[in-house]
């Protein structure tokens, strides 16, 4: 119960107006712990800052949170089906948003009643479920690796063009929520390099819009629109009918660029034609800079962290003229 993850869960339950009434059984506690362990695997924590105590402070490179789809403060359940691993920046932007009723990610409203937690989570669980039930549930957990702060831990990151950290996280979380059609659409976009604009930053920006769609519950339903666009160009994979008409990939590329451009500005006030705007926005999701501008070439610089050293690598990026030419050709 002294694990930091268990302490996070205790605070999570304490924030709920229903307290222990926001969970349904002891298995919810163990499932929440496993979500924290899963989140940590995406965060790529490092430790390069010494505290006054002489120990190193761990920091996540990719800043993530366990995000309640139906807000816990409004009675949302503290169960995995109501929790999405997502960027901290998006979660704080939509902190108390209640999803609309026809949204795929409406979350789960707890049906329980107020059950006080007592002195701490352990005693509260024992009072509610009994010693044997709690012991059985917690004894099956593997103890997470603990960072003691005695040694430095350098950041390790292969760069966005190799890892696509936000894109892969969104795809995996959609799969965990059994949104197989949408997750498969993202698989297709990554595999088909022509459709991904050849440039990883656009897949990452699409993922940011996807996270916003999931957590905000907006009626725009961006992920549904993305699936419809793909089906309109390439058919429905479930029916085995794929269309590879001439120029289809280029047209799809132009439409998806326009899609990103529209919603990135609407929700985040980011102009995709401005490299500095895109760089500053994307770096907000990380604790260290992972992207920069290369004005001399019109490209972006993706930073790779290896052996305690930051290495620059160029990655492609549409200039505004190139992108708009593709759009004008499609709309003329």
């Amino acid at each position: 119960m002294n694990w930091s993850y268990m302490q996070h869960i205790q605070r999570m339950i304490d924030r709920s107006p229903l307290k222990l009434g926001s969970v349904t059984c002891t298995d919810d506690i163990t499932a929440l712990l496993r979500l924290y362990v899963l989140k940590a695997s995406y965060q790529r924590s490092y430790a390069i800052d010494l505290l006054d105590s002489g120990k190193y402070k761990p920091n996540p490179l990719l800043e993530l949170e366990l995000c309640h789809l139906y807000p816990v403060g409004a009675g949302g359940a503290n169960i995995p089906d109501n929790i999405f691993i997502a960027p901290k920046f998006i979660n704080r932007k939509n902190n108390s948003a209640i999803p609309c009723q026809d949204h795929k990610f409406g979350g789960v409203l707890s049906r329980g009643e107020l059950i006080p937690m007592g002195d701490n989570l352990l005693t509260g669980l024992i009072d509610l479920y009994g010693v044997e039930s709690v012991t059985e549930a917690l004894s099956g957990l593997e103890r997470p690796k603990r960072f003691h702060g005695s040694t430095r831990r350098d950041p390790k990151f292969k760069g966005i063009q190799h890892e696509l950290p936000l894109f892969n996280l969104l795809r995996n979380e959609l799969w965990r929520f059994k949104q197989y059609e949408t997750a498969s659409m993202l698989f297709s976009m990554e595999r088909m390099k022509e459709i991904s604009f050849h440039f990883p930053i656009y897949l990452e920006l699409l993922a940011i819009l996807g996270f916003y769609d999931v957590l905000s519950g907006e009626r725009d339903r961006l992920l549904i629109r993305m699936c419809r666009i793909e089906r309109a160009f390439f058919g429905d994979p479930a029916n085995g009918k794929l269309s590879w008409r001439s120029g289809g990939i280029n047209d799809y590329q132009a439409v998806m660029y326009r899609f990103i451009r529209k919603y990135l500005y609407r929700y985040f006030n980011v102009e995709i034609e401005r490299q500095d705007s895109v760089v500053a926005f994307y770096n907000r999701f990380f604790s260290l800079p992972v992207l920069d501008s290369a004005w001399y070439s019109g490209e972006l610089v993706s930073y790779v962290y290896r052996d305690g050293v930051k290495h620059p690598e160029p990655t492609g990026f549409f200039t505004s003229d190139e992108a708009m030419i593709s759009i004008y050709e499609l709309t003329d």
Side-chain angles (χ1 to χ4, degrees), residues 6 9 12-13 19-36 66 77-83 108 110 121 125 128-129 133 137-138 141:
M6 295 302 288
I9 294 171
M12 181 189 297
I13 292 175
K19 307 302 181 186
L20 283 173
S22 64
V23 298
T24 59
C25 60
T26 54
D27 288 342
D28 289 338
I29 303 299
T30 57
L32 290 175
L33 178 66
R34 292 191 176 98
L35 279 185
Y36 271 109
L66 296 189
N78 275 312
I79 61 175
D81 288 345
N82 191 43
I83 295 177
V108 180
S110 177
L121 178 58
L125 290 173
L128 185 59
Y129 298 109
S133 178
L138 298 184
L141 293 171

Side-chain angles (χ1 to χ4, degrees), residues 244-258:
W244 293 94
R245 62 185 176 81
S246 176
I249 290 178
N250 293 333
D251 290 349
Y252 178 79
Q253 175 176 296
V255 168
M256 290 306 294
Y257 177 89
R258 187 164 50 183

Side-chain angles (χ1 to χ4, degrees), residues 42-255:
Y42 291 114
Q43 289 184 304
R44 299 170 180 82
S45 292
Y46 62 96
I48 58 176
D49 299 324
L50 273 173
L51 301 174
D52 293 338
S53 62
K55 292 189 175 182
Y56 287 97
K57 175 185 178 182
N59 292 298
L61 178 62
L62 178 57
E63 298 185 317
L64 305 174
E65 289 184 335
L66 296 189
C67 312
H68 289 81
L69 299 177
Y70 200 100
V72 67
N78 275 312
I79 61 175
D81 288 345
N82 191 43
I83 295 177
F84 206 84
I85 302 175
K88 174 181 177 180
F89 175 76
I90 302 295
N91 190 39
R92 300 301 172 92
K93 182 178 176 66
N94 301 287
N95 194 33
S96 58
I98 296 178
C100 61
Q101 295 302 308
D102 60 345
H103 199 267
K104 282 188 175 181
F105 303 95
V108 180
L109 180 63
S110 177
R111 300 299 180 186
E113 57 184 17
L114 171 61
I115 302 175
M117 187 165 56
D119 294 335
N120 56 56
L121 178 58
L122 180 59
T123 58
L125 290 173
I126 291 175
D127 290 342
L128 185 59
Y129 298 109
V131 174
E132 291 185 3
S133 178
V134 174
T135 301
E136 181 181 358
L138 298 184
S139 63
L141 293 171
E142 295 183 5
R143 181 180 292 273
K145 293 181 180 180
R146 184 177 179 182
F147 179 68
H148 297 280
S150 56
T151 57
R152 174 187 171 101
R153 181 190 292 172
D154 292 321
K156 295 180 181 179
F157 185 59
K158 297 179 182 179
I160 64 170
Q161 68 271 37
H162 300 294
E163 296 200 11
L164 294 174
L166 294 175
F167 184 86
N168 286 327
L169 173 60
L170 176 64
R171 184 189 61 199
N172 293 344
E173 281 297 278
L174 289 172
W175 195 267
R176 180 170 70 86
F177 270 75
K178 299 180 174 56
Q179 298 295 319
Y180 300 128
E181 179 186 6
T182 310
S184 296
M185 178 263 297
L186 297 180
F187 272 113
S188 298
M189 294 181 73
E190 184 179 8
R191 285 197 308 267
M192 301 166 68
K193 299 303 182 184
E194 296 88 349
I195 295 178
S196 68
F197 316 101
H198 307 283
F199 309 134
I201 185 59
Y202 285 94
L203 293 180
E204 290 288 274
L205 294 176
L206 276 173
I208 291 171
L209 294 177
F211 280 117
Y212 179 84
D213 180 44
V214 170
L215 295 182
S216 69
E218 290 286 349
R219 296 181 183 276
D220 283 332
R221 296 184 291 180
L222 304 184
L223 289 171
I224 293 176
R225 289 172 181 254
M226 287 166 59
C227 288
R228 288 175 178 171
I229 292 173
E230 185 188 42
R231 285 199 300 270
F233 277 91
F234 305 112
D236 188 352
N239 297 330
K241 298 178 180 179
L242 293 177
S243 171
W244 293 94
R245 62 185 176 81
S246 176
I249 290 178
N250 293 333
D251 290 349
Y252 178 79
Q253 175 176 296
V255 168

